[in-house]
Each structure stands twice: as structure tokens, then as C-alpha cells.
Amino acid sequence: MRVRCEGGNDGSSKSKDKKLAGWWLGAAWRGIVSFFRHDSDRYMVTLAIGDGGNDIAMIQEAHAGIGIAGQEGLQASRAADFSIGQFRFLQRLLLVHGRWSYVRVSMFIMGTFYKCMAFYLTQLIYQFYTGFSGTSLFESWTLSMYNTLFSILPVLVVGIFEQDLKPSTLLAFPELYRDMGPRNHLFTVPEFLRRVIVLGLLHAIVAAYFPFAGGLLMGYNGTTNDQFINSLMVYSIMMLTVTLKIAYIDVRRWIVFSHISVILSLTLWFGWNGVLNHIYPKSPGDGYFVLGVFDMLMSKAPFWFQWIIFTAVALCINVLLVLVYSVRDPVEHKITSWVAFERRQEHTANKERRKQWMADHKLGRFS
């Protein structure tokens, strides 16, 4: 912030005081800028907190600015990213909501990249069977609905509602905050390679290569599968794998919205194909014969067998990698241990409440 103070030409002490104040404020601002632009640590994120108008420059220069709405007015709160009523609320804002926000954003980004990587790698695998002709495995209408309808709900639930640990645990042990956000545990290149590239490739191989290699005939009267039958098989496996992985394996806790996202995703999948099965053009120009195919596949045991078995294989691979990673990584092992401890506490508390309810019920009945 540059302060330009102009005084008269009378050489008065008041003019000199203005110039001196302007020089001092400019030097202070340069100090603030140099402090917040310190980049010795590329993962460092700065935070500034203030409650008055003189703190606005500091609040706006930091990565995260917090204003306290208090006796000095609302100037700092209006210029800040976050506003709190008292300074003591900063602890919960950082240790609980700050950590949850980091976890949600990281998992949402990783999940979004993963579901796209896994799905479109099946197209690459299919090109080995078509001589890299560029032919799409999936029918265009259904292809365009993947990110719009069939896979959007689980990542949204994770990005909005994920809470890996309870507030009481996070407030009692601040090192859990340090291990996650400040050390960038969930959003690094190795994490991206493991969660997106490796798992995406493995799941694409299971969803695309396994059905092609199996060669189970699902056409009319046991005839050879056509392109749309193969695409529907691969699409079904991939959609179910992505949905269950993001909704149940990636998260620490299952909530009611996780179940709702899975049910709605499957409902949209069956509903879309059920409608498309009857309204698709009879003579398509792109070579996908869709009319009546979905109804026919619903009555085929090989379709259900491959859908369930190959989805289970893909998820088992995912669970195995998660177990190995949770044992080898100390931070992940610590978080997993805390989650297990909280679940044991919840189970014990539920048992005690159940016993107390039964005791009260008996007393009420025999009194």
C-alpha cells in the first residue's frame, strides 16, 4: 500500500508529520508483502487474522484472510475470506472445518479425475480390437451422459459431506491437522498416480479387457455380440465400479447420502437405458442397434454374471491396494487407527444406550 501525503509549502511540522507517516506505512506494507511472499516452502499457506480496518491490507495479502466482527466494526470481516465472532473460534475453524475442507476438495478432485481416467481408458483398450480406427465403443447419447448423470452424485456427496474424523478428536489432537493439510497428504503427484492413473488403468482393464477376453455370447439366440452389446456390458461394469468405489471405499464413513447417491445413480442408469431402449432410431447412422437390446440383456444370465463378478474383481483390487497403502504409510495408518477407535467408541456407546433403554423399559413395565 502506497500512501501519498501532500502538504503545503509552508514547511509546517504538520506536513512533515504526514510525510513521515506515509513513509512508515509504506515500509510496513513492504514488510508485510515480503513476509507473505516468502516461498522457501512451496506448500506453505499463509493466514492472517484481524479485527480492524488497519488489518485489511494484511488480511487481503495472505492466502486465507479471517476477520473478527467485534468492537472495531465490520471492516475486517467484509474484506476477509472468512468471518468469525470471537478469536477462540479460530481453533475450530482451522482444526475441524479447515481439515474437512482440505479432505473434501482433495477427494473430489481425485475422484473426478479417476472416474474420467478409468472410463475413457476403456476406449483406448477397445482400439486394440479395432486396429486403432477411432471407432467409439459407446453410443454417443449414452457417452455424453456419463459425467452428467451416471457418475456425478458420488463425488458430489464426498465433496460436500465427507467427515473422516469427529470434531472432538480433531480438537483434542491438533497433530491430525498438521499431518493432513500443512503436509499436503492427499494432493501430491504420488497420490495422483496411485488414485487416478494406477487404479484407473486397473479398473479399465477389468471392465473392458475381461469381457472381451471371456467371449461370452449374449446376442439374440446365442449369436455373437454386436458393438452395442459389448459397449453396454463395459459401460455397466465401469459405472457400477466407479459408483461403489467413490461412495464406499474412498470415504472413511458411510452416511445416508452415500446410499442415496448409489441408489439414484443405478436408478438413472436403468431408467436411461430403459427409455433409450424404446425411443432410439430404428435405422441409426452410427451403427449402434439399440432398440430392444437392454430388455434382452436383462434376461441374460451371462450379462448379470459378468456385471457382478467383474465389478467385484475391480473393487477387490481397490481394497487390496488401500490395505497395503494404509499399512505402509504412517499418516494413513494413524488416520485409519483413529477411525477404528471412534467406531469402537460409537459401538460401545450404542450398547450402553440400548442397555439403559431396556432397563428403563422393564422398570416402566413392572412398576
Side-chain angles (χ1 to χ4, degrees):
M1 178 179 62
R2 286 185 175 180
V3 178
R4 182 180 180 183
C5 297
E6 296 182 354
N9 295 325
D10 56 354
S12 63
S13 60
K14 186 176 181 181
S15 177
K16 292 180 180 178
D17 290 342
K18 287 183 178 180
K19 292 181 180 179
L20 182 62
W23 174 85
W24 184 85
L25 287 174
W29 171 245
R30 288 192 294 270
I32 292 174
V33 172
S34 63
F35 173 75
F36 283 116
R37 289 181 181 174
H38 177 66
D39 57 354
S40 61
D41 185 358
R42 59 176 179 157
Y43 294 127
M44 183 182 69
V45 178
T46 56
L47 181 145
I49 182 170
D51 62 348
N54 59 326
D55 300 317
I56 291 178
M58 176 180 64
I59 289 173
Q60 291 182 338
E61 184 63 25
H63 291 98
I66 300 176
I68 301 177
Q71 297 179 353
E72 298 191 28
L74 300 175
Q75 290 182 341
S77 298
R78 290 169 180 169
D81 301 306
F82 305 95
S83 178
I84 57 179
Q86 299 180 25
F87 186 82
R88 62 187 179 90
F89 297 153
L90 179 63
Q91 181 186 24
R92 189 177 184 88
L93 179 64
L94 283 179
L95 301 184
V96 179
H97 297 287
R99 188 182 186 280
W100 283 350
S101 178
Y102 173 80
V103 171
R104 291 166 182 166
V105 172
S106 299
M107 294 183 64
F108 176 82
I109 295 175
M110 291 291 187
T112 302
F113 274 99
Y114 153 76
K115 68 186 184 69
C116 294
M117 177 68 68
F119 182 75
Y120 290 105
L121 279 177
T122 59
Q123 294 270 43
L124 176 61
I125 295 174
Y126 182 65
Q127 296 308 307
F128 287 94
Y129 293 89
T130 63
F132 290 89
S133 63
T135 304
S136 175
L137 172 61
F138 306 113
E139 183 270 327
S140 59
W141 293 5
T142 309
L143 177 63
S144 63
M145 291 295 107
Y146 177 72
N147 283 316
T148 307
L149 291 180
F150 307 135
S151 64
I152 188 63
L153 293 179
V155 290
L156 283 180
V157 170
V158 171
I160 297 173
F161 299 106
E162 173 62 3
Q163 298 179 3
D164 56 345
L165 294 174
K166 290 183 177 181
S168 57
T169 303
L170 297 175
L171 291 173
F173 300 93
E175 61 268 19
L176 293 171
Y177 171 80
R178 177 199 62 197
D179 293 337
M180 188 61 66
R183 294 183 177 177
N184 202 24
H185 176 66
L186 292 179
F187 205 70
T188 59
V189 173
E191 280 293 303
F192 184 85
L193 293 176
R194 180 181 69 87
R195 291 175 176 266
V196 176
I197 305 299
V198 174
L199 280 175
L201 179 60
L202 292 175
H203 288 175
I205 291 174
V206 174
Y209 177 72
F210 281 23
F212 293 156
L216 295 180
L217 301 180
M218 296 180 294
Y220 290 99
N221 299 322
T223 56
T224 306
N225 304 340
D226 62 15
Q227 187 171 354
F228 184 71
I229 291 178
N230 287 327
S231 70
L232 201 58
M233 184 74 260
V234 174
Y235 207 128
S236 300
I237 297 172
M238 184 52 63
M239 189 277 302
L240 186 59
T241 300
V242 167
T243 301
L244 296 180
K245 173 194 180 297
I246 296 175
Y248 294 133
I249 299 179
D250 287 352
V251 299
R252 304 286 184 180
R253 297 179 181 277
W254 296 354
I255 59 176
V256 63
F257 293 105
S258 302
H259 309 317
I260 292 175
S261 68
V262 173
I263 294 173
L264 286 179
S265 297
L266 290 174
T267 302
L268 290 171
W269 170 246
F270 281 102
W272 170 267
N273 284 284
V275 173
L276 197 68
N277 182 77
H278 298 283
I279 68 171
Y280 204 79
K282 293 183 178 180
S283 301
D286 52 7
Y288 299 92
F289 296 94
V290 179
L291 290 178
V293 173
F294 187 72
D295 290 343
M296 182 267 297
L297 287 180
M298 290 297 98
S299 62
K300 295 284 185 177
F303 174 82
W304 292 98
F305 173 80
Q306 292 183 92
W307 194 13
I308 296 173
I309 295 300
F310 292 153
T311 300
V313 170
L315 295 178
C316 287
I317 294 174
N318 197 158
V319 171
L320 179 62
L321 291 178
V322 169
L323 291 175
V324 172
Y325 180 69
S326 64
V327 172
R328 293 179 60 87
D329 186 85
V331 175
E332 199 70 20
H333 180 70
K334 181 190 297 186
I335 297 173
T336 304
S337 300
W338 274 113
V339 172
F341 174 73
E342 289 183 348
R343 287 175 179 173
R344 287 196 298 269
Q345 282 189 323
E346 291 175 357
H347 181 68
T348 303
N350 291 333
K351 284 183 64 176
E352 292 297 328
R353 283 195 294 267
R354 201 157 44 241
K355 289 181 180 179
Q356 186 64 36
W357 180 85
M358 293 180 65
D360 294 342
H361 182 68
K362 289 181 179 179
L363 290 174
R365 185 173 59 183
F366 294 107
S367 61

